[in-house]
Amino acid sequence: MLFRLPRLTPGYIRYLQTQAVQTIAHRAGDVVMPRLAVLLGALGIGMSGYSSRQLALHHHPSTRVLQWLERTAPPRGQATSTMATQLQNLSQHSPATKVP
């Protein structure tokens, strides 16, 4: 394969020099963005975990959900689903310790 090299005119040499300077400046910026992306990703995962924990500690099921569970519950004497039992237990008891 043969390819033709452009003539090395003063304008082309200036163009190559500006390209080299831009490449060097661009590489310095390449370090910051990936680090910032990792930092923001870790912050998002941490906030998500924290909010999930707070929701699990302080959330009480709504009365509409509990009424729906009572309507769909099997007749007495049959085994109830564990989720329905857990939700009913949560609605009857408030947490003993308050977490700020």
Side-chain angles (χ1 to χ4, degrees):
M1 259 192 205
L2 295 174
F3 58 94
R4 187 171 171 209
L5 291 174
R7 289 188 179 172
L8 293 176
T9 61
Y12 185 66
I13 291 172
R14 251 183 267 119
Y15 171 75
L16 290 176
Q17 287 173 343
T18 57
Q19 289 294 326
V21 169
Q22 287 177 357
T23 303
I24 291 171
H26 185 65
R27 286 184 186 159
D30 283 347
V31 176
V32 174
M33 289 305 287
R35 289 181 182 173
L36 182 63
V38 169
L39 176 69
L40 290 175
L43 183 67
I45 291 171
M47 290 294 290
S48 175
Y50 176 76
S51 63
S52 297
R53 180 177 180 270
Q54 293 297 80
L55 184 64
L57 289 175
H58 300 293
H59 176 71
H60 299 289
S62 67
T63 55
R64 184 175 17 172
V65 171
L66 294 174
Q67 289 172 355
W68 178 80
L69 286 173
E70 288 175 1
R71 282 185 294 163
T72 59
R76 299 227 181 240
Q78 293 183 2
T80 60
S81 70
T82 55
M83 179 128 183
T85 306
Q86 289 173 352
L87 283 173
Q88 288 172 351
N89 289 340
L90 280 175
S91 68
Q92 294 170 359
H93 304 290
S94 63
T97 60
K98 295 286 184 182
V99 177

